[in-house]
Amino acid sequence: MKNCILFLHGTYPEKHIAGYRKLCRGKCTIAIDGGYSFFKKAALSPDLIIGDFDSIEKFPSSLTGRTEMLRYPPAKDKTDAELALEYCFEHKVRKIDIVQPIIGEPDQFMGNLMLLTLARRLNDKYQPEVRIINTGYEILFLENKSKVISGAKGDIVSIIPLSPRIKLSCRGTAFPAENMPLRRGQCRGLRNRISASRAVFDITGQAFLVHQYAVNFTKKHA
């Protein structure tokens, strides 16, 4: 299956709709329960709606036959977002964007954040790229990997260790580093600014990379 973009329940301001529409281009689009509100505002039909549908008041009749629907009971052991991500894994999606427009309830946000680590349980031959994204930032889980960020001069990048100890190397930033040790709980990896047209971050161990945008979201994703 081609790349997928998943929309979570949340507030989608009108001024951000154009940017999110551009992110949808060429991707399989999935509404995670109340995330259907984005598609309603954007006048789009998702390829799939998944969840227990407790956050959706009514589907328009125009969706009938055009959108696949996977409905689950409210009493279940997995969140709607986890079910949607597993659907992508089953279909061997290579790149998965999870749109979370606002942090919302802290436990849900932290749970969604940890979903980024699910891919490491898969076999070595299939390791998809998964990120949480919205108009302000993107978050990725990296394990013994490098991340190259181009065309983002002025943006802020933070590295948050998940392993007890990681090593961080970064180039093209205001504060370069070479195999700098970071322990879980330390904040030395926060708020480094990209200073070049191309920045590289090398992680040994497990960490979250948080990339905060400094330029207009819609222009960035034109």
Side-chain angles (χ1 to χ4, degrees), residues 53-205:
F53 300 173
D54 64 341
S55 300
I56 302 175
E57 294 182 1
K58 186 179 180 181
F59 291 115
S61 57
S62 60
L63 283 181
T64 305
R66 300 173 57 188
T67 299
E68 181 183 359
M69 297 187 182
L70 293 179
R71 188 166 193 165
Y72 292 84
K76 55 187 184 300
D77 294 332
K78 298 178 180 179
T79 64
D80 294 336
E82 187 173 357
L83 292 169
L85 199 55
E86 289 183 349
Y87 173 91
C88 292
F89 293 161
E90 290 169 4
H91 289 79
K92 297 295 187 292
V93 177
R94 300 306 308 178
K95 292 185 178 181
I96 305 165
D97 285 347
I98 305 173
V99 179
Q100 181 155 8
I102 58 173
I103 289 180
E105 296 177 344
D107 56 342
Q108 287 282 7
F109 174 75
M110 293 178 70
N112 292 335
L113 191 63
M114 295 309 296
L115 287 179
L116 298 181
T117 70
L118 284 181
R120 69 181 297 269
R121 301 187 318 194
L122 306 175
N123 63 64
D124 293 336
K125 293 182 179 180
Y126 170 59
Q127 287 292 317
E129 296 180 24
V130 188
R131 64 175 178 170
I132 289 176
I133 186 171
N134 59 32
T135 57
Y137 54 82
E138 63 176 344
I139 305 175
L140 304 93
F141 168 72
L142 300 178
E143 181 177 19
N144 301 320
K145 284 186 178 180
S146 296
K147 172 64 178 177
V148 178
I149 301 177
S150 300
K153 190 174 180 178
D155 287 6
I156 298 294
V157 173
S158 296
I159 303 297
I160 302 172
L162 291 179
S163 300
R165 177 187 173 96
I166 71 168
K167 287 186 178 180
L168 166 66
S169 297
C170 51
R171 302 178 295 281
T173 59
F175 301 100
E178 187 66 33
N179 289 322
M180 181 177 73
L182 281 177
R183 295 185 182 277
R184 187 169 56 210
Q186 287 185 324
C187 298
R188 292 175 62 201
L190 298 186
R191 305 196 63 78
N192 201 348
R193 187 177 299 276
I194 296 177
S195 58
S197 59
R198 184 176 184 271
V200 182
F201 299 84
D202 296 313
I203 305 294
T204 301

Side-chain angles (χ1 to χ4, degrees), residues 13-25 38 42 217-218 221:
E14 191 63 40
K15 64 181 179 180
H16 296 156
I17 296 299
Y20 287 138
R21 283 180 65 104
K22 289 175 181 177
L23 280 179
C24 290
R25 291 175 182 171
F38 160 74
F217 174 83
T218 301
H221 294 285

